[in-house]
Amino acid sequence: MSQFDRHSGCPFHRRTDRSQSALSQSDTSTPAHRERRRFLKGAGLTGLGLGLGGIGLGGTCPARALAATGHGQDVTSAPQEQDSQLRYPFYGHHQQGIVTPRPATGMLVAFDVLARDRDDLERLLKILTERMAFLTQGGNIPERNPLFPPPDSGILGPVVAPDGLTMTLAVGDSLFDQRFGLAGARPKRLQRMEGFPNDALDAARCHGDLALQICANTLDTGYHALRDIIKNTPGLLMVRWKQEGTVPLLPPAPGDSDGSARNFLGFRDGSANPDGSDDALMDELVWVGGDHDEPAWARGGSYLAARIIRNFVERWDRTPLQEQEMIFGRRKMSGAPLSKDGAEGKEQDVPDYTRDPEGEITPLDAHIRLANPRTLATEKNRILRRPFNYSNGVEANGQLDMGLLFLCFQADLEAGFITVQHRLDGEPLEEYIKPVGGGYFFVLPGARDANDFLGSGLLAASA
Amino acid sequence: MKTTRQWIATGAFALLPLAPFTALITAPAAQAAVAPEALVAPVADYKLYVLDNLEQLVSHTRDFTAAIQAGDVEKAQALYAPTRVYYERIEPIAELFADLDASIDAREDDYEKGVADPDFTGFHRLEYALFHDHSTDGMDKYAQGLMDDVNDLDSRVQGLTFPPETVVGGAAALMEEVAATKVSGEEDRYSRTDLWDFQGNVDGAREIFELFKPLAAQEDAGFVERVQTNFDDVEETLADYRLDADDPSAGFESYDEVSDADRRALTGPVTVLAEDLSTLRGLLGLN
Amino acid sequence: MSHAASVAPPSSRALRLGMALSFLLTLVALGVFTLSLRAVHPVGDAGQVVEVTATGCEPNRLEVAAGRRTFTVVNRSNRAIEWEIIDGVMVLAERENIAPGLRQPLTATLQAGDYVMTCGLLSNPRGTLHVLAGDASAQPAALPATAFVGALAEYRVYTTLQLRRLRASAVELRDAIDAGDLDAARRAYREARRADLHLAMPIGLYSDIDQRLNAHADDFERREADPAFVGFHRLAYGLFGQQDTAGLAPIAAQLLTDVETLTERLKHASIPPAQLADGTSRVLEAWLDHHRGESAIAGPDLADLVALTEGADKIVSLLAPLLEGQSPATLQTLEANLSTLQQDLPAADSSMPAGVAAGGLLQATSALADSLAGINQTLTLKG
């Protein structure tokens, strides 16, 4: 794969092209426009890619500054398209799949590492890196004598399209036990997830030595990637649990700025998420840097808190709308914060709690108020959410087993998710939700280039 | 003249030793695949292995079912796992007979009504009686049924021409069996004797591998070495749970005793074996 | 020709020559076998050309020989067409969506009979396809080499199990003779002889062992008194003719040694697939050679034929699945011949009558031997 192929995948090229095309949003659905955009994207491939190769390696998409067009830049904006040729760069200072716009599907797979020593672990990390690099960029699957099992599951056909696939590798606390001699290099805040008061954790769906976040336009692309990983790592990895989810596609509506996708409780989820395209903000809140009191190797990484949160949807659907809105602190349809006179606002409106100290407008225990009190002191507790809705079938009592695969990223796990979740302990929403699984992981810094592999810094630092 | 043919037949068809014959066949072909004729001896040896195990299965089943019919719970419990081992070893062949495989080795999950299902018979029905109910009450007919089925299996296998693909593919099938139901410990959920079955599957897979090893080695020496190492790893871990290191017949500790770390340690080589052995058929040029 | 003129036992020189010759023949046989395994049916040329016009097929009536036939369908009409061969209401073979001006090949295996061809538009008249029987080139397609692995392996299992039985009864026989127990020796002899004849085909592949185990007294210059006369017939002469175990100990010991040598050789040998049928036919013929023209078959010889037929039964059961695919009619004949012979014979485990009329038995044996001899052509094997 040449360098500019990689860079052509930068999502912000796409955005740039789109804004440069100066077409109105209502035009985006016309075939002519799609053609044109595809053409422009191809042009970016040759025109921009050559000149910007070096910059891209640093993980900074060249067009990032231009992305703030007020359209679709939020990580949790509802996905709008399913371009199978959409390709995100794999190599860089940070891994992909964190500030990358959330596509329509995502899954988290936790693994036990079966590797028996450091050499095996290194081999595993190299294989993972190599496969992830291939899968996220796409290409032809290898052919093999038909007397043998095929090397690829074939579920995507002979050509693997990138399909917006991102794969993000993270390590769990248990990887730092005695097996691989990594204890000395453990990220300082990495820990085993402890149950919160409302949790009913199922051991079979918790923790893991490794976690792989796999996101793509379609679930098939994610399953293909997962099966490729399993096929290529026999004896090294064992799937511990997995949870996939989806986000509803939202066609862009004329005159409306992008809304966040809805969760299975019917509320927009992701409102007021920090802006993933704001590099400085991401460096402060999401990426581990020099100021974060972490081992040097960990810079460029991030903490991932994953939670499988069952929603009692039947019960929720039997709850009056007004009560639902009070529990969340937002209007259900618009996603706007509650207002004094019941006037309908916008999702992006910022609630002013200083003028509502008693919680007469937004109850003090409303979900959004507890999660983000919007005070100066709680600014540092903000997290980058990237959740997906899941549906797993039916419980023994006939109720639907559905809920939220909650994923969030932060530079400081304790200041981030753990603090936020403690604030939420006892919230009224708990009557309708039950966290049943998940875990804490540390997302490794990115692989610099094809000569590097994910986790190389960790191994070097603990050698 | 009556004596022109002096013996039963003329001697015009003396045989060449195997190796040169194989060479004769393969040399002009200039193809890497193993000569089909080279598969004959290992396939035959495998059937002999299966027949030996069936003979053991029949005689052990006789003792096991007799103990049940005599109402001797303790003795029947002790004989349960050592009897099943012979079935587990030859599963790739035994399961060719779907009706018998169901009546001999199906688990309660295979039936809509579970344990109460009248069609639930065989080893696991008896396991339920012996290890869950601690009783042989009403088990006479199941014991007799098992004995009849095992005898039936024996006679069917005697007359069976073993399909080479099934034999060679059997190694992978056994490891898939281990990977799917043995590591999880769901096979013998009442007796907790899963490790016996585990060992039986591994024995059966290894036998196939050993028989075809020389042929596989011609194609891919690294493959053979890898598979060997992984078999050794699995057996080494299993050996930790033997009740008596020097006496295999003493058997294994309960599967409950297997640590999480060891379950993981078993999963690794088992998965690699399943993955590697899945290529054995292709390696030997079989469909 | 009288028995007095019987040939001398083979000299060692003749034996060596025979061995060398047999080795050469084997090489030839193997070469042919190799070729036969490789034989790929030549890919046909265009075969029969059928042009489909706007109004129908040209020609509208085709005649081909039975077997695997290729047709080339040329679309001379101005719309896409399909072309089918129909047997009654069943489509046997078809080519769909042939674009105007294009040609498409179609290959089908056809049995003798009349078929219908569709010719473009449904309103067009249908053509007829007449398939003639009995063309030599209507041979079944060659079986792949792997097709025989199962049968050969199963035969190897059978051989191994029979060898185990043979050895076990040879040990019993030796021990009984050593102990002077005539009854036990006779019982062991019958068991051993039965296994020996089950193995007649593979034993026949080793002339030296075959001679030591199975040569008749007539084959030797001094007949029963000849010191070179050993093996089963020598033991039978002692146990049943002289009714005594005296002097048989070295012969029983030799028999056991020969069985062990045989076991060792077969362990390292591989039987060419063509031998399954041909070799079995040959051992039946060999038995017939000893009894042609006789009016009655004596008990021991009848027992021999029973055992040989059991061996043939095994071979038929091994070849049946292969024959079924190649030529069901051949299989049917073979099984019918086997069954006829079996019905004429006493059950294997019963005690043999002193003698039976030869006529029907000889005929049935000969029929089975003949049909076995013709099998390899059907199996596309050359012996």
Side-chain angles (χ1 to χ4, degrees), chain A residues 112-114 116 144-145 147-149 174 177 179 209 230-231 233-238 240, chain B residues 183 230 233 263-265 267-269 271-272 275 278-287:
Chain A
D112 288 334
V113 169
L114 304 177
R116 276 175 285 194
R144 194 179 191 186
N145 179 336
L147 290 178
F148 289 86
S174 53
D177 64 14
R179 282 172 294 165
D209 293 335
I230 290 170
K231 177 90 180 164
T233 55
L236 296 172
L237 278 187
M238 175 179 173
R240 186 180 171 91
Chain B
V183 172
N230 281 305
D233 284 354
R263 288 184 198 205
R264 288 200 300 195
T267 304
T271 323
V272 185
E275 191 70 39
S278 74
T279 66
L280 187 58
R281 275 193 314 174
L283 207 57
L284 301 181
L286 285 168
N287 285 321

Side-chain angles (χ1 to χ4, degrees), chain A residues 158-181:
Chain A
V159 180
V160 175
D163 198 29
L165 175 69
T166 61
M167 301 179 76
T168 315
L169 184 65
V171 294
D173 164 71
S174 53
L175 194 70
F176 295 83
D177 64 14
Q178 76 297 341
R179 282 172 294 165
F180 307 109

Side-chain angles (χ1 to χ4, degrees), chain A residues 17-55:
Chain A
D17 297 338
R18 186 190 289 184
S19 58
Q20 281 169 347
S21 74
L23 291 170
S24 73
Q25 284 168 7
S26 57
D27 285 335
T28 53
S29 58
T30 66
H33 173 75
R34 285 210 193 94
E35 275 312 303
R36 179 169 160 73
R37 211 170 57 213
R38 198 159 287 134
F39 167 74
L40 286 170
K41 198 159 38 166
L45 185 153
T46 49
L48 291 177
L50 273 176
L52 296 168
I55 303 174

Side-chain angles (χ1 to χ4, degrees), chain B residues 47 51 153-162, chain C residues 154 314 317-318:
Chain B
K47 177 158 181 180
L51 292 179
L153 177 67
D154 183 40
S155 76
R156 288 200 218 174
V157 173
Q158 305 260 8
L160 177 73
T161 294
F162 282 24
Chain C
E154 178 58 21
K314 183 70 191 177
S317 75
L318 291 181

Side-chain angles (χ1 to χ4, degrees), chain B residues 6 209-210 253:
Chain B
Q6 294 164 330
F209 168 68
E210 294 291 339
E253 292 181 35

Side-chain angles (χ1 to χ4, degrees), chain A residues 193-210:
Chain A
M193 182 178 77
E194 298 291 339
F196 292 87
N198 186 42
D199 290 5
L201 298 178
D202 168 9
R205 289 192 280 175
C206 286
H207 320 303
D209 293 335
L210 289 183

